[in-house]
Amino acid sequence: MHKINLIDHPVRVDKKAFLNAVNAQKPIAVTLDGEILEADGELPARPYIFVGKPRSLVGRGLVKPTPLSQILGESYEVKDEGDHISIYAGRAWEELIKANEPYYLYQDNTSEGIAEFTDSELDEHIWYSCEFGINCREVAEMLEKEVEGTLLCIETEKPYNFAGCAFVDDIETARKQSFDFIRAELEKKIASGEIDTEELEEAEEEALKYFGLL
């Protein structure tokens, strides 16, 4: 996976296209590549840095105009840099999570770690593998190394803090990699004697059958 830390990763968009989208006062979505999409209906499954309706540059009635810097909300910083607009989303984690909830595979953060996968098949893998101590963290770290996708995060060093969400380009590949990884880890545990196939609890036996090892 390609890791993108939004603390130091502004997203550049075409200035004319952005201002046209803002002035239209309709919901938009902005991708990591700076593409602007209409967000009235279902969006393609990919990472977004903003999904919603921009504020108004002009204002109307009692509503004051919004400066360009805050046109996407107070958590974002928007800068006019000549022929393009730069969007800084390093303080907009809550907005990012909400925008990407339908699309990410898992969330990860310093305090809670990885609780679950949003894909039901991958989550089923963990349901069985956790009988032998193989958890979401181990599978996620493997996916980050082996599968094409994006790890979108906000990471700071002092004090250290991490909040991220991961997207895979091909869910079928991720499912196969997960299954094969867990199966291989279980085979190692059986070969070393850590798992005694003659002394299994019912849930352990069911888990090994699930991975084709009994």
Side-chain angles (χ1 to χ4, degrees):
M1 289 186 189
H2 178 49
K3 180 180 176 181
I4 296 176
N5 184 358
L6 289 171
I7 289 291
D8 52 15
H9 184 90
V11 172
R12 294 183 174 184
V13 299
D14 179 78
K15 182 176 180 178
K16 182 179 179 181
F18 182 75
L19 293 178
N20 285 343
V22 168
N23 290 331
Q25 284 296 284
K26 293 181 180 180
I28 62 170
V30 182
T31 72
L32 285 173
D33 298 324
E35 185 179 359
I36 302 171
L37 308 176
E38 293 182 2
D40 287 324
E42 188 173 343
L43 290 166
R46 56 197 295 193
Y48 297 96
I49 64 152
F50 176 83
V51 176
K53 183 179 176 181
R55 297 176 178 180
S56 174
L57 285 169
V58 178
R60 185 175 298 171
L62 298 176
V63 180
K64 295 181 179 180
T66 303
L68 179 65
S69 61
Q70 297 181 3
I71 203 67
L72 299 181
E74 294 178 2
S75 297
Y76 293 86
E77 185 177 4
V78 179
K79 291 184 178 181
D80 184 345
E81 298 188 337
D83 62 343
H84 67 271
I85 296 287
S86 290
I87 300 172
Y88 295 80
R91 295 185 290 111
W93 187 248
E94 294 300 323
E95 291 85 349
L96 287 163
I97 284 295
K98 183 177 179 181
N100 288 291
E101 192 170 5
Y103 315 114
Y104 61 71
L105 184 59
Y106 58 87
Q107 280 193 64
D108 186 10
N109 62 63
T110 306
S111 59
E112 298 179 5
I114 303 171
E116 62 182 1
F117 292 113
T118 58
D119 178 72
S120 59
E121 188 170 324
L122 277 167
D123 212 40
E124 186 174 74
H125 294 175
I126 301 302
W127 172 264
Y128 288 106
S129 70
C130 69
E131 291 294 333
F132 300 103
I134 301 172
N135 57 31
C136 287
R137 169 67 62 192
E138 292 175 73
V139 174
E141 288 180 353
M142 178 276 298
L143 292 175
E144 289 171 19
K145 292 178 182 177
E146 303 295 337
V147 175
E148 294 295 321
T150 303
L151 179 60
L152 188 64
C153 70
I154 292 176
E155 185 175 26
T156 57
E157 293 297 332
K158 293 182 180 180
Y160 183 76
N161 188 60
F162 178 89
C165 54
F167 306 79
V168 294
D169 294 348
D170 185 344
I171 189 60
E172 291 299 332
T173 298
R175 289 168 178 166
K176 184 178 186 307
Q177 290 274 28
S178 168
F179 187 93
D180 291 348
F181 169 77
I182 294 170
R183 180 187 166 94
E185 291 298 301
L186 292 174
E187 285 177 328
K188 292 177 187 176
K189 290 176 182 286
I190 292 170
S192 69
E194 185 177 342
I195 296 175
D196 184 350
T197 56
E198 300 299 321
E199 297 288 339
L200 295 171
E201 300 288 340
E202 183 178 346
E204 294 173 334
E205 183 177 338
E206 187 178 351
L208 291 184
K209 286 180 178 177
Y210 179 84
F211 289 105
L213 295 172
L214 281 182

